[in-house]
Amino acid sequence: MKYKSITILVLISLMMTHLGPLHAQHKGSSKSLNQYAFDLYGELKDENENVFLSPLSTYYALLLAYEGSKNKTKAAFEKVLYLKDSTRYIYDDLYKQESNSDSLFGLKISNAVWVDKKFEVESAFKNTVSSKYSSDFKQTEFANAELAVTDINRWVSDKTNQRITNMVTPSDINSETKLMISNAVYFKGEWLTKFEKLRTAESTFFTDNENQYKVDFMNITENLNYFENESFQFITKPYKDSDLSFCVLLPKTLYGLEAIENNLNAEFFNEILEQTVSTKVWLSIPKIKLETSYKLKPALTNMGLNSVFNNEAEFSGILKNEPLTIEQVAHKTYIDITEDYTEAAAATTTIVYIRGLPSYKTFKADHPFVFFIVDNKTNAMVFMGRYVKPQEGKVIDKANFVDNLLKRNNKKLDWGGNDKILILIAERKKFKPIDIQDVNFNNIEYLKVYKKEDVKKFTTEDYYGVVVLKLKKNKKIKKK
């Protein structure tokens, strides 16, 4: 019996500008999704390479295929997707927001089943995926590869606001292609508290011992949910009008990402989220722009879905009299994280920046890290990524590597990635160097910032700038 192939297309486009809430309620469903997410991430990650994917999007596409599977094929899906213990919650809650996605501010989730005009999909399958996932059913002529490509790519482009325009090519379709399943997620999320453009500064990103880059870092001091232990720091930064947050897991050592990744699983991740507390944090993260494209067949095969890609596959719930196999699962992603440019007054920027210094946690993501976008209510992972190599950074000459590392290790006060800042306190017309951590900023009467060209007024040493402050009457710095 000759088997026909299913190609599953998984598409995602992401820009951080606007977002609406998700309405999931059960953490049982998120545990299944998150464990699948970490399994897939483990298969895709490669040393010194970026990763960006949507576990939610790929999960959706595989669930559509699962609905038409039978017997051993169905069991394989249940194992890989961790469905047995939480299927009801997944259907009832985690994906219910899909049917309302058009009304969610900035979030659009779209599914489509593409069927060759010669075939009729089983009515039970059609009804199931329509009711649970609001999936469109589209007909095309796969024998005419150019026409099928045009139809599918137009749908993709419309659903992703023209961010992904060439998802498939004629080479992705052959004479045996009779059905495709696609899922597209388009997301724009505005920060609850925006980064200010005037605080963005170029600094060094340390990829590994052989690669350093100059990239733009966005900087802000704000109260964030924060957790740290001896191995890593973790923050969550919320979006406006949303139940989602952007999370970063940052190793404390420059090249400690692999050790952290080896421990990643759903239980570990939930424990971190539950231990975060609101803390004042100076956050410095690079502007991120990534485009990735994956063929997921090898990864999913290693995870246990090998039978769906060969003649053992049973998809009689989709096309009753036409044996089907999954030919490929394609996943294409785009992400752009910026300050969401806002107007800021230069006169107040420096002062606000300094006032956050005395009692804050420093979180500078200047080396490889993992990031997530998570539903706050359920801990469900909508997106996840690995940032290790800037795609738009300037490569630093290796002759400067050692000097950059020494500067990083010697800094007491990191300000936008530049060299040390000299802090002076004015006392009786004299200036005395102090440690910024010894100052209570509520006791300051005034402060003045001097730029690099004015440093020579105070010292012959090489400082990036000088901050002079004066305490209120009868106020003193802390005693050691």
Side-chain angles (χ1 to χ4, degrees):
M1 188 177 288
K2 197 169 185 180
Y3 280 76
K4 312 300 182 185
S5 65
I6 306 172
T7 297
I8 297 181
L9 306 179
V10 188
L11 326 162
I12 162 150
S13 178
L14 171 66
M15 277 196 67
M16 307 293 184
T17 323
H18 292 88
L19 179 77
L22 296 177
H23 299 292
Q25 300 297 327
H26 292 284
K27 291 193 176 182
S29 58
S30 69
K31 186 176 181 181
S32 295
L33 170 63
N34 289 356
Q35 190 55 58
Y36 158 82
F38 286 120
D39 290 348
L40 182 60
Y41 175 86
E43 292 292 334
L44 294 179
K45 71 180 178 67
D46 189 17
E47 186 179 7
N48 296 333
E49 293 297 332
N50 299 318
V51 171
F52 181 60
L53 67 149
S54 172
L56 179 64
S57 182
T58 59
Y59 208 79
Y60 254 132
L62 293 174
L63 279 174
L64 287 172
Y66 164 75
E67 293 292 354
S69 65
K70 300 291 184 180
N71 302 320
K72 291 182 179 179
T73 302
K74 186 172 185 177
F77 275 114
E78 289 175 347
K79 181 179 179 181
V80 171
L81 301 179
Y82 299 92
L83 291 176
K84 282 195 172 181
D85 296 331
S86 58
T87 303
R88 180 175 63 82
Y89 290 146
I90 288 174
Y91 292 157
D92 291 348
D93 291 299
L94 187 56
Y95 302 103
K96 192 173 288 183
Q97 81 274 4
E98 196 281 330
S99 61
N100 300 317
S101 62
D102 288 339
S103 65
L104 293 177
F105 182 58
L107 176 66
K108 189 172 184 63
I109 302 172
S110 306
N111 301 300
V113 177
W114 299 84
V115 186
D116 193 282
K117 289 183 177 180
K118 297 177 182 178
F119 296 94
E120 181 66 30
V121 172
E122 288 295 302
S123 58
F125 174 77
K126 189 172 183 178
N127 292 335
T128 297
V129 298
S130 293
S131 61
K132 289 182 179 178
Y133 313 106
S134 299
S135 181
D136 295 332
F137 279 84
K138 303 286 187 179
Q139 286 190 307
T140 190
E141 296 180 28
F142 287 110
N144 185 340
E146 293 287 348
L147 176 62
V149 165
T150 299
D151 289 343
I152 295 168
N153 283 341
R154 184 184 297 119
W155 182 89
V156 171
S157 179
D158 289 344
K159 298 303 183 181
T160 61
N161 199 29
Q162 287 71 54
R163 286 294 174 185
I164 296 178
T165 56
N166 295 294
M167 183 64 192
V168 295
T169 65
S171 63
D172 295 318
I173 296 172
N174 58 50
S175 60
E176 300 303 317
T177 304
K178 302 302 176 187
L179 183 145
M180 286 189 177
I181 298 173
S182 59
N183 170 264
V185 178
Y186 181 71
F187 165 59
K188 295 183 95 178
E190 180 180 343
W191 301 115
L192 180 61
T193 303
K194 300 174 185 177
F195 293 93
E196 294 176 359
K197 186 179 179 182
L198 289 177
R199 295 188 184 185
T200 297
E202 191 177 68
S203 188
T204 303
F205 188 88
F206 300 86
T207 289
D208 54 34
N209 286 323
E210 297 295 322
N211 298 279
Q212 294 179 9
Y213 300 85
K214 283 291 183 184
V215 298
D216 285 337
F217 278 74
M218 305 180 294
N219 301 283
I220 193 171
T221 302
E222 62 174 314
N223 287 320
L224 298 172
N225 284 344
Y226 176 88
F227 172 77
E228 70 170 301
N229 60 19
E230 67 280 358
S231 301
F232 61 84
Q233 296 173 284
F234 183 88
I235 59 97
T236 72
K237 182 173 172 59
Y239 292 103
K240 184 179 179 182
D241 300 323
S242 168
D243 289 326
L244 295 192
S245 290
F246 180 78
C247 309
V248 180
L249 180 62
L250 179 69
K252 284 191 172 179
T253 58
L254 276 182
Y255 313 126
L257 182 60
E258 185 177 357
I260 300 298
E261 288 176 325
N262 290 338
N263 292 318
L264 287 178
N265 57 51
E267 186 174 351
F268 175 79
F269 187 66
N270 282 345
E271 287 178 358
I272 296 172
L273 290 172
E274 289 170 3
Q275 293 182 76
T276 60
V277 294
S278 180
T279 306
K280 182 171 282 189
V281 178
W282 173 56
L283 175 64
S284 182
I285 60 174
K287 296 173 73 171
I288 298 174
K289 189 171 186 178
L290 300 176
E291 292 184 62
T292 59
S293 182
Y294 302 105
K295 302 296 186 184
L296 298 181
K297 182 177 178 178
L300 294 171
T301 296
N302 290 338
M303 290 164 63
L305 276 184
N306 52 303
S307 64
V308 310
F309 298 108
N310 58 40
N311 290 348
E312 296 177 11
E314 296 182 69
F315 288 106
S316 59
I318 300 177
L319 295 177
K320 191 171 185 179
N321 297 317
E322 290 291 330
L324 296 171
T325 65
I326 293 179
E327 176 64 25
Q328 186 57 269
V329 179
H331 187 45
K332 195 169 185 178
T333 67
Y334 171 88
I335 182 173
D336 188 6
I337 303 178
T338 68
E339 307 94 336
D340 189 24
Y341 300 107
T342 57
E343 213 170 313
T348 62
T349 300
T350 302
I351 295 175
V352 172
Y353 198 92
I354 293 173
R355 282 183 178 172
L357 294 177
S359 57
Y360 70 130
K361 293 288 186 179
T362 298
F363 191 104
K364 183 164 187 180
D366 65 353
H367 54 284
F369 58 86
V370 183
F371 63 93
F372 315 87
I373 296 177
V374 176
D375 180 351
N376 301 328
K377 289 186 177 180
T378 65
N379 298 346
M381 198 177 297
V382 185
F383 306 102
M384 71 178 300
R386 181 183 201 253
Y387 187 77
V388 301
K389 184 168 65 176
Q391 290 188 345
E392 297 184 343
K394 304 175 199 172
V395 178
I396 295 175
D397 191 288
K398 290 187 177 181
N400 297 319
F401 277 21
V402 174
D403 185 51
N404 286 338
L405 287 168
L406 287 174
K407 286 179 179 177
R408 184 183 188 276
N409 292 336
N410 289 335
K411 287 175 190 173
K412 285 187 177 181
L413 176 62
D414 198 337
W415 192 344
N418 296 302
D419 294 339
K420 294 185 295 182
I421 306 294
L422 177 62
I423 311 295
L424 300 174
I425 187 167
E427 293 181 337
R428 299 174 185 175
K429 297 184 180 181
K430 294 183 180 180
F431 301 99
K432 177 183 176 182
I434 58 167
D435 190 325
I436 194 66
Q437 303 298 329
D438 295 335
V439 178
N440 181 341
F441 270 60
N442 293 324
N443 295 337
I444 292 177
E445 181 175 325
Y446 77 84
L447 61 81
K448 187 169 183 180
V449 178
Y450 294 86
K451 296 183 179 179
K452 187 173 179 63
E453 54 266 31
D454 297 317
V455 169
K456 60 185 179 182
K457 297 178 183 178
F458 304 95
T459 179
T460 57
E461 294 185 35
D462 186 21
Y463 283 93
Y464 175 72
V466 174
V467 176
V468 176
L469 50 88
K470 182 179 179 181
L471 298 182
K472 297 175 183 177
K473 190 176 181 180
N474 298 323
K475 300 295 182 180
K476 298 181 180 180
I477 63 172
K478 299 176 184 177
K479 297 293 184 181
K480 295 288 187 180

